[in-house]
Amino acid sequence: MLSEPKNVPLSASPSPLSAPVALTSGQQQTLKNEFVCSGVGLHLGLKTQVRVLPAAENQGRVFARVDLANAPEVAASVASVHETTLSTELAQGEAKVRTVEHLLAALAGLGVDNVRIEIDGPEVPLLDGSAQSWVEAIAQAGIVAQTAARQTYTLSEPIWVYQGDAFVAALPAPALRFTYGIDFDLPAIGNQWHSWSPDQENFAEAIATARTFGLAHQIEHLQANGLIKGGSLENALVCGTEGWLNPPLRFSNEPVRHKLLDLVGDLSLLNLFPQAHILAYKASHHLHTQLAQLIAQRMRDEG
């Protein structure tokens, strides 16, 4: 069921890098100060600069394409999902922003609800392929509590979407939990599972540093189709039949942790996390965002 937010007293926020963060309740939060990051986008290979600024409560997270006339805005919401091929792209009108999932995961994983994200190009920088740099920038900028409480939603019945043997589901649960599984023929990856409970384990340490990964035999095909133009061994793990081309890994199961990172970013497009167990297997940005859309529809139906 959907619960209306109530005003609650201001309180100090815990350090975003030192303790678990409650994501399904509590006060809305924004940044104390703005920060700037720049780098090359994974798919388009273009250098862009991102400026993230504090925003008022109930504003959510909004991108602004400052390189375009009148700086058109794109809300980070399920209604803005436009394309989900190997990344999540948001669009409103002619304004588009691609590969938003790592930045959104960092903001959501640290409990930042309201920000304005000014970007001077069509794709968010990949940085080192993880959310680590975003998390560090957010922590340095600081997080402050706002007066309004977060809207909350408790899932009462299962919701799922699947494609072949891949699926993502939301199940009723006493607390928010994410579980992800992957299965690849390459021995260095194989079958991996990972679970993360935000109220028990810090996002910055458990999930944020896991980097994006690719398969060596797919690179040429993807580049021929205009993708991963900005990918390199400096910003993505690459796996071949003989193992990893650029070890060492940050976790023994870094690939599945990164998939969980993507899921957090994509599901954050709901602008809240439901009290539910989110379970995914061999899923994709397409399935992630489909689940988010189904949950959003359920919330509207229940009023």
Side-chain angles (χ1 to χ4, degrees), residues 24 171-177 199-200 274-277:
T24 58
L171 309 173
L176 177 62
R177 184 180 181 90
D199 61 350
Q200 297 177 18
Q275 182 179 307
H277 186 168

Side-chain angles (χ1 to χ4, degrees), residues 292-302:
Q293 289 164 348
L294 289 174
I295 295 173
Q297 184 61 53
R298 175 74 63 83
M299 291 165 58
R300 287 192 294 269
D301 292 344
E302 294 181 358

Side-chain angles (χ1 to χ4, degrees), residues 32-293:
K32 183 177 181 180
N33 301 292
E34 67 179 68
F35 69 85
V36 176
C37 286
S38 61
V40 174
L42 171 60
H43 292 298
L44 302 178
L46 301 174
K47 185 174 182 179
T48 56
Q49 177 176 282
V50 175
R51 182 176 176 227
V52 186
L53 304 97
E57 57 193 37
N58 298 316
Q59 296 302 300
R61 298 163 303 160
V62 179
F63 289 90
R65 282 288 304 275
V66 295
D67 58 314
L68 302 179
N70 301 316
E73 296 182 345
V74 182
S77 69
V78 290
S80 302
V81 174
H82 177 258
E83 177 62 57
T84 52
T85 302
L86 296 183
S87 68
T88 298
E89 182 179 73
L90 307 177
Q92 286 183 215
E94 297 301 311
K96 300 176 182 178
V97 186
R98 188 169 188 169
T99 317
V100 300
E101 56 270 16
H102 299 172
L103 171 54
L104 293 183
L107 291 165
L110 297 188
V112 179
D113 304 278
N114 304 301
V115 288
R116 176 179 171 85
I117 306 166
E118 298 183 348
I119 183 169
D120 65 358
E123 186 172 24
V124 176
L126 184 61
L127 305 178
D128 78 338
S130 76
Q132 181 176 13
S133 295
W134 296 117
V135 162
E136 291 172 350
I138 293 166
Q140 186 170 5
I143 299 173
V144 293
Q146 298 174 288
T147 303
R150 293 188 178 112
Q151 188 180 51
T152 61
Y153 178 69
T154 300
L155 188 73
S156 58
E157 296 181 0
I159 304 176
W160 65 89
V161 60
Y162 70 93
Q163 185 173 13
D165 65 342
F167 69 86
V168 59
L171 309 173
L176 177 62
R177 184 180 181 90
F178 296 87
T179 299
Y180 215 114
I182 60 174
D183 197 355
F184 287 84
D185 291 335
L186 294 171
I189 303 178
N191 182 262
Q192 301 181 3
W193 286 88
H194 191 74
S195 286
W196 175 60
S197 297
D199 61 350
Q200 297 177 18
E201 196 174 14
N202 183 265
F203 175 83
E205 297 176 353
I207 305 299
T209 59
R211 294 162 292 176
T212 192
F213 66 98
L215 310 182
H217 69 274
Q218 294 181 349
I219 291 176
E220 186 175 338
H221 172 74
L222 292 173
Q223 290 178 334
N225 283 274
L227 298 169
I228 64 169
K229 293 179 180 178
S232 72
L233 295 178
E234 281 69 53
N235 59 26
L237 290 167
V238 179
C239 189
T241 56
E242 302 300 317
W244 294 101
L245 275 62
N246 53 340
L249 272 62
R250 295 173 177 173
F251 305 96
S252 61
N253 64 346
E254 187 169 356
V256 75
R257 290 184 191 234
H258 183 80
K259 291 290 290 183
L260 200 155
L261 186 161
D262 284 343
L263 176 60
V264 171
D266 288 339
L267 200 66
S268 76
L269 294 170
L270 283 166
N271 290 311
L272 60 77
F273 285 111
Q275 182 179 307
H277 186 168
I278 311 300
L279 176 63
Y281 177 66
K282 295 174 64 172
S284 61
H285 292 291
H286 178 62
L287 291 178
H288 297 169
T289 54
Q290 276 194 309
L291 180 71
Q293 289 164 348

